[in-house]
Amino acid sequence: MQNKEVDILVVGAGIIGTAIGAELSRRGAKVCVIDKGQVGKGCSYGNAGWMTPCFSMPLPMPGMLLKSMKWLMDPKSPLYIKPSLSLDLANWLFKFMQAMNETQAKRAVDCLVVLSQKSLTEYEKLGQKYPEMRFEQKGLLMVSRTPAGVAAAVEELNYVKELGVPGKVLNPDDIAAMEPALKSPLLGGVYFSHEAMAEPFQVVQAFAKEIRLHGGEILENTELVDLEIADNKIEKVLTSQGEIKAKQVIMATGSWSKSLAKMLRLRVPILGGKGYAMIVPPLAKQPKYPMMLVEKKIAVTPRQNSLRIAGTLELVDQDFSITQKRVENIKQGAREFLDLPEELQVQELWAGLRPCTPDGVPLIGYHKNISNLVLAVGHQMLGLQSGAGTGLLVADLVEGKKPFVDLSVLDANRF
Ligand SMILES: Cc1cc2nc3c(=O)[nH]c(=O)nc-3n(C[C@H](O)[C@H](O)[C@H](O)COP(=O)(O)OP(=O)(O)OC[C@H]3O[C@@H](n4cnc5c(N)ncnc54)[C@H](O)[C@@H]3O)c2cc1C
């Protein structure tokens, strides 16, 4: 690569970086997006593909303290925090506990619902232009076999319905009529009618096509290795392939952001929330709807000729290894709800690290001391569902327009 000069340099070509790059290219900026690997092969590759404003609750919700203590002890739980002596983990957990209060949760949900709804509208348009995304707006089912699971689903509905996310409570007969693939007995659930799903990797590719269509470029295998900062400004970005000068630099580096933040002289306490997704052949009774199996925290997404089953959240620091036991837990959990064959053939098994902030809210905004640096990281469980909206928000910020959400909730310098 020859040394370059652009208006906007986006670091990271996951859903967040490509959504930002696409929006700024459409608005006429000269954009370059770099990635140390390939476009969309980070956490955005194999996620459940849900675009679901109903799931806008941050991880540390009020009342989670006891539950999180239990997870700490139980490697079989859907959410697991492996005990370790890491200072980063202790610091993260301390802030996680601090964030479990009603005021904080309400502000976060208000903001994340808006970001997710904006995204949904954008994805609908993008899906029409790029049918390979397989955007489908069928709604989403939350189903449960236990009273606690039903209560959790109804609580989710109550939280978001006043923010304009429609849904209704279902009894077991309603569920059986809607989704014959589910085994009985079920106790109840909730149907959110406006939620959508798509092929996550194809969504990133659609944004990448938009970037190129509007004159931008994407450089793969190009890693940011250092920054030259002078007078509170990034003068140059040093990459593994050469130097890039940019008027504005945007960091969209997902779960890699904590270590990069040291270069930025900023605390970005992001840990990886490791999750697995497996693709299996279509079932004899193939589900029609995307479904959350509530008490197991398993996401089931019907695909054209297969089924995606995703779940677990294990807090780690850049560890991509696959623990077969946790994969088996997902299979067993799904088996309680669906007729899976005895010998389940897994066509693809994937692990991704959700970029998790301790308060469950992304960091979006300008760096307090570096005037041409914007952060857009830490989208935890909802990077796809809030990605397109993040693209609009960051483009507005860069253009000096009034943001459409309360930016103080997302403050990039809050840690
Ligand atoms: C099992 C599972 C299921 C999920 N389901 C859903 C879902 O249904 N809906 C939803 O909204 N979210 C879901 N998520 C979460 C979602 O996948 C993430 O929030 C999202 O992918 C984060 O996107 P990102 O662009 O921030 O990160 P990434 O996709 O990880 O992209 C970051 C990129 O930065 C690059 N990078 C890092 N460091 C450098 C560097 N120094 N130089 C250059 N490039 C660099 C990386 O190579 C990577 O490509 C799920 C996650 C998992 C694990």
Side-chain angles (χ1 to χ4, degrees), residues 160-203:
V160 294
K161 77 174 173 211
E162 59 195 50
L163 299 170
V165 180
K168 62 175 181 187
V169 178
L170 302 178
N171 65 35
D173 291 341
D174 299 330
I175 299 176
M178 274 182 86
E179 184 51 276
L182 281 163
K183 288 204 268 200
S184 49
L186 284 168
L187 257 190
V190 167
Y191 174 58
F192 290 101
S193 53
H194 285 194
E195 321 308 274
M197 62 179 181
E199 279 300 319
F201 183 61
Q202 291 302 333
V203 182

Side-chain angles (χ1 to χ4, degrees), residues 10-18 34-52 55 123 196 200 204 219 221-225 239-240 251-257 259-260 263 273-278 299 301 308-312 320 330 350-355 376-387:
V10 182
V11 185
I15 186 69
I16 302 302
T18 54
I34 61 168
D35 198 287
K36 69 187 182 72
Q38 288 167 304
V39 176
K41 290 285 180 83
C43 192
S44 305
Y45 172 73
N47 62 50
W50 290 3
M51 296 153 165
T52 44
F55 293 132
Y123 287 134
V204 181
L219 304 175
N221 305 313
T222 304
E223 180 169 6
L224 178 154
V225 286
T239 81
S240 51
M251 298 292 278
T253 41
S255 67
W256 288 267
S257 305
S259 50
L260 286 173
M263 257 182 240
K274 186 167 25 174
Y276 302 119
M278 61 190 103
T301 315
R308 195 188 308 260
I309 308 176
T312 84
F320 287 88
I330 300 177
W350 170 84
L353 300 191
R354 304 168 180 95
V377 296
H379 287 70
Q380 42 153 11
M381 290 93 94
L382 34 79
L384 176 64
Q385 78 176 54
S386 61

Side-chain angles (χ1 to χ4, degrees), residues 173-379:
D173 291 341
D174 299 330
I175 299 176
M178 274 182 86
E179 184 51 276
L182 281 163
K183 288 204 268 200
S184 49
L186 284 168
L187 257 190
V190 167
Y191 174 58
F192 290 101
S193 53
H194 285 194
E195 321 308 274
M197 62 179 181
E199 279 300 319
F201 183 61
Q202 291 302 333
V203 182
V204 181
Q205 297 307 320
F207 279 132
K209 285 174 197 161
E210 284 288 284
I211 293 170
R212 295 183 180 116
L213 187 71
H214 292 91
E217 71 177 323
I218 304 180
L219 304 175
E220 297 186 311
N221 305 313
T222 304
E223 180 169 6
L224 178 154
V225 286
D226 208 352
L227 298 168
E228 262 186 42
I229 301 174
D231 297 331
N232 295 336
K233 231 179 135 200
I234 297 178
E235 293 289 335
K236 254 186 224 165
V237 173
L238 311 180
T239 81
S240 51
Q241 307 294 333
E243 297 176 359
I244 305 179
K245 276 188 168 184
K247 290 182 189 142
Q248 310 255 8
V249 178
I250 294 156
M251 298 292 278
T253 41
S255 67
W256 288 267
S257 305
K258 178 166 66 77
S259 50
L260 286 173
K262 290 191 182 121
M263 257 182 240
L264 310 173
R265 301 169 204 151
L266 194 68
R267 246 183 249 136
V268 177
I270 287 178
L271 288 180
K274 186 167 25 174
Y276 302 119
M278 61 190 103
I279 309 252
V280 302
L283 305 184
K285 276 192 195 166
Q286 173 78 340
K288 288 195 285 191
Y289 290 93
M291 287 185 276
M292 169 62 87
L293 314 180
V294 179
E295 48 273 36
K296 301 291 171 189
K297 296 202 182 305
I298 291 175
V300 176
T301 315
R303 303 175 81 225
Q304 202 185 20
N305 287 313
S306 59
L307 188 70
R308 195 188 308 260
I309 308 176
T312 84
L313 191 152
E314 180 183 351
L315 215 54
V316 296
D317 200 355
Q318 291 304 307
D319 165 14
F320 287 88
S321 63
I322 290 185
T323 308
Q324 207 52 42
K325 215 165 168 207
R326 294 185 66 74
V327 176
E328 289 307 315
N329 287 345
I330 300 177
K331 286 188 198 165
Q332 266 176 30
R335 217 178 272 287
E336 288 179 29
F337 288 78
L338 296 166
D339 267 321
L340 300 186
E342 202 57 47
E343 284 295 315
L344 186 64
Q345 182 202 338
V346 176
Q347 296 170 334
E348 187 180 346
L349 177 62
W350 170 84
L353 300 191
R354 304 168 180 95
C356 293
T357 58
D359 59 4
V361 181
L363 300 160
I364 305 179
Y366 273 99
H367 187 293
K368 61 182 172 194
N369 294 325
I370 306 177
S371 63
N372 61 345
L373 174 66
V374 177
L375 281 99
V377 296
H379 287 70

Side-chain angles (χ1 to χ4, degrees), residues 67-84:
K67 262 193 217 163
S68 41
M69 288 300 170
K70 261 170 69 191
W71 303 336
L72 198 69
M73 306 294 167
D74 181 8
K76 278 201 193 144
S77 64
L79 306 162
Y80 178 50
I81 305 166
K82 198 175 181 177
S84 93

Side-chain angles (χ1 to χ4, degrees), residues 85-115:
L85 290 176
S86 142
L87 204 62
D88 282 342
L89 178 63
N91 180 32
W92 194 99
L93 284 174
F94 178 68
K95 292 192 161 64
F96 176 70
M97 309 270 173
Q98 269 185 329
M100 284 177 199
N101 65 76
E102 198 62 47
T103 320
Q104 162 81 17
K106 174 107 192 48
R107 289 181 76 222
V109 179
D110 286 0
C111 172
L112 296 174
V113 165
V114 175
L115 210 51

